[in-house]
Amino acid sequence: MKLKQLEGHLGSLQQFSNPKIELEQYPTGPHIASRMLYTAENSFGDVANKVVADFGCGCGTLGIAAALLGAEHVIGLDVDAQSIEIASINSEDLELDVDFVQSDVRNLRWRGPIVDTVVMNPPFGTRKKGADMDFLFAALKIASQAVYSLHKTTTRDHVKRAALRDYNAKSAEVLCELRYDVPQLYKFHKKKEVDIAVDLWRFVPQRIQGKGF
Amino acid sequence: MRLLTHNMLSSNIKGVTNGFPLRIEVQKVIEKPVDFNPDFLRHMFPMIDWNALVEASRTMGYPDLPDSADAAMLDSDDFLQRFHHSLLELHLEEGALLCPETGRRFPVTKGIPNMLLHEDEVEVSGARAPGKLSGIALFVLSLLPLHFFSHLQ
């Protein structure tokens, strides 16, 4: 599938009707989401024929993008039932088969690292400090191949240090810097639209031969 | 929910040591055909807990998997078809997952399991958890009065 086609499909998805600020629900726009998954597949081969998990899937954009690019099994996880409902409608509309699990990714327990790739647009932790790092910690525990994630550019050094030193990542690389346009979703937003700089990261987990944890 | 997802999930309740596999309570199973992809099945096979898959598959009304399986069977098309069907095409649409140790019930509605925990069931974990402390150290810490930690908040 071409990048433009992917972006087009993602642009048709239904987004949050009543976003919840405590969960930092911001939609991942089709522009960013398509580039994220397209890169994961075309530069690294981390999507097609793989098991992909979307952490904090919201309305399902990243997981759906993975399914469109040929992921064999996609699991979308979110704490919020309403989001999962929309995500599930979105995937059905595109005739995709995505499994959703309502859960907090920070305390879900997995039998082992049998997810190949985790993709996520975690809460940036502006409302709840460190939320994005909790997601990253959980993702690096269960991914066997790679974790793709978005983090604010201002936190770049911190993210790198924590991933390599504390979360046992083998590598942590910024693939590109993107503009994340935050639409005026919540009442406390004063400006109509703001752009924030975010990094698209690719992390490679350290896996000891055999069962990794 | 596919059985592949079931094969990955473990009960996440605080204190539970043997949380896998979750038992399945079936109210409704549906089948959704997907394209047969032998390469994917070969890729997944070593990562699957076979006993759990056989058991789950039986509970879902599909008893056609062999009790044990080894990599040599991956050459058989018949075996791959059965593996494919049970792993990817059977969906638990309505029912529940049950923690094998405590019996705690996680409902499955419209194919979506609700694994959310109550506050008192959550284990303290995550990026900032004291993961490197040994059991003994944690025990000693737990004996200290609470105000000892207040400056950490």
Side-chain angles (χ1 to χ4, degrees):
Chain A
M1 182 178 290
K2 294 223 166 66
L3 178 61
K4 277 266 171 270
Q5 267 175 295
L6 180 66
E7 189 173 346
H9 281 302
L10 300 179
S12 73
L13 302 179
Q14 199 185 324
Q15 295 298 339
F16 303 105
S17 47
N18 274 312
K20 300 184 177 66
I21 185 56
E22 68 278 15
L23 298 174
E24 294 190 44
Q25 291 180 335
Y26 292 98
T28 316
H31 179 83
I32 287 188
S34 57
R35 270 140 196 90
M36 192 167 169
L37 271 295
Y38 194 79
T39 307
E41 174 53 20
N42 289 282
S43 306
F44 300 98
D46 284 331
V47 180
N49 300 314
K50 305 288 181 200
V51 175
V52 177
D54 179 356
F55 274 18
C57 66
C59 300
T61 310
L62 295 176
I64 285 169
L68 285 168
L69 291 178
E72 187 69 28
H73 183 67
V74 179
I75 313 173
L77 303 125
D78 206 287
V79 281
D80 181 39
Q82 277 174 316
S83 296
I84 291 189
E85 207 178 313
I86 299 173
S88 142
I89 293 169
N90 279 335
S91 74
E92 273 166 31
D93 282 352
L94 290 170
E95 292 174 4
L96 300 167
D97 218 346
V98 176
D99 267 8
F100 292 100
V101 177
Q102 190 185 358
S103 113
D104 185 334
V105 298
R106 290 167 294 190
N107 58 39
L108 189 65
R109 209 178 297 166
W110 304 77
R111 176 173 60 81
I114 49 179
V115 167
D116 295 305
T117 305
V118 174
V119 293
M120 59 185 190
N121 174 13
F124 289 151
T126 40
R127 303 293 289 188
K128 197 174 168 210
K129 213 172 174 307
D132 60 333
M133 299 312 281
D134 288 345
F135 271 58
L136 183 59
F137 175 74
L140 278 165
K141 254 187 357 187
I142 66 128
S144 63
Q145 284 205 5
V147 174
Y148 292 85
S149 183
L150 299 168
H151 299 269
K152 288 207 286 192
T153 301
T154 50
T155 63
R156 189 178 290 179
D157 294 342
H158 170 65
V159 170
K160 183 152 200 149
R161 207 176 321 117
L164 295 175
R165 193 189 59 194
D166 304 329
Y167 308 163
N168 209 19
K170 195 156 75 182
S171 71
E173 192 192 342
V174 174
L175 300 178
C176 61
E177 196 181 308
L178 296 156
R179 311 301 302 176
Y180 193 96
D181 51 318
V182 182
Q184 191 182 26
L185 280 180
Y186 301 107
K187 284 216 178 81
F188 68 86
H189 285 159
K190 293 192 184 74
K191 288 186 199 148
K192 231 192 172 118
E193 206 171 275
V194 265
D195 254 9
I196 51 168
V198 294
D199 292 335
L200 168 57
W201 288 85
R202 180 177 190 264
F203 304 92
V204 176
Q206 200 116 43
R207 283 279 164 255
I208 304 147
Q209 283 292 305
K211 299 251 153 130
F213 85 115
Chain B
M1 184 198 63
R2 291 172 170 175
L3 291 187
L4 175 50
T5 299
H6 169 263
N7 211 276
M8 297 175 175
L9 296 178
S10 188
S11 168
N12 48 346
I13 302 165
K14 183 166 78 179
V16 166
T17 51
N18 269 317
F20 181 86
L22 293 153
R23 291 207 309 274
I24 298 177
E25 192 183 286
V26 176
Q27 277 165 24
K28 189 178 166 197
V29 173
I30 56 169
E31 291 181 21
K32 294 187 203 167
V34 283
D35 289 344
F36 180 59
N37 181 348
D39 288 339
F40 176 74
L41 296 169
R42 291 190 192 101
H43 163 68
M44 285 314 289
F45 180 76
M47 290 179 267
I48 294 298
D49 184 304
W50 191 257
N51 290 336
L53 182 66
V54 171
E55 184 62 35
S57 196
R58 272 196 196 126
T59 314
M60 302 266 284
Y62 185 73
D64 299 355
L65 290 180
D67 286 339
S68 61
D70 58 65
M73 291 170 148
L74 295 170
D75 294 332
S76 149
D77 196 55
D78 177 58
F79 172 77
L80 287 175
Q81 294 282 0
R82 289 164 195 237
F83 182 32
H84 167 79
H85 182 65
S86 96
L87 193 70
L88 302 171
E89 294 187 323
L90 294 175
H91 290 251
L92 181 63
E93 185 70 0
E94 299 290 333
L97 301 174
L98 305 172
C99 169
E101 206 170 290
T102 64
R104 153 78 143 94
R105 200 168 172 276
F106 298 98
V108 177
T109 318
K110 289 190 203 156
I112 300 162
N114 179 351
M115 302 294 291
L116 288 183
L117 297 172
H118 305 304
E119 219 166 286
D120 58 347
E121 294 173 324
V122 177
E123 196 127 30
V124 182
S125 70
R128 287 152 295 159
K132 287 185 184 111
L133 291 174
S134 69
I136 293 170
L138 281 173
F139 176 69
V140 171
L141 281 171
S142 70
L143 295 175
L144 294 167
L146 209 60
H147 64 257
F148 191 84
F149 299 102
S150 53
H151 68 282
L152 296 174
Q153 302 288 306

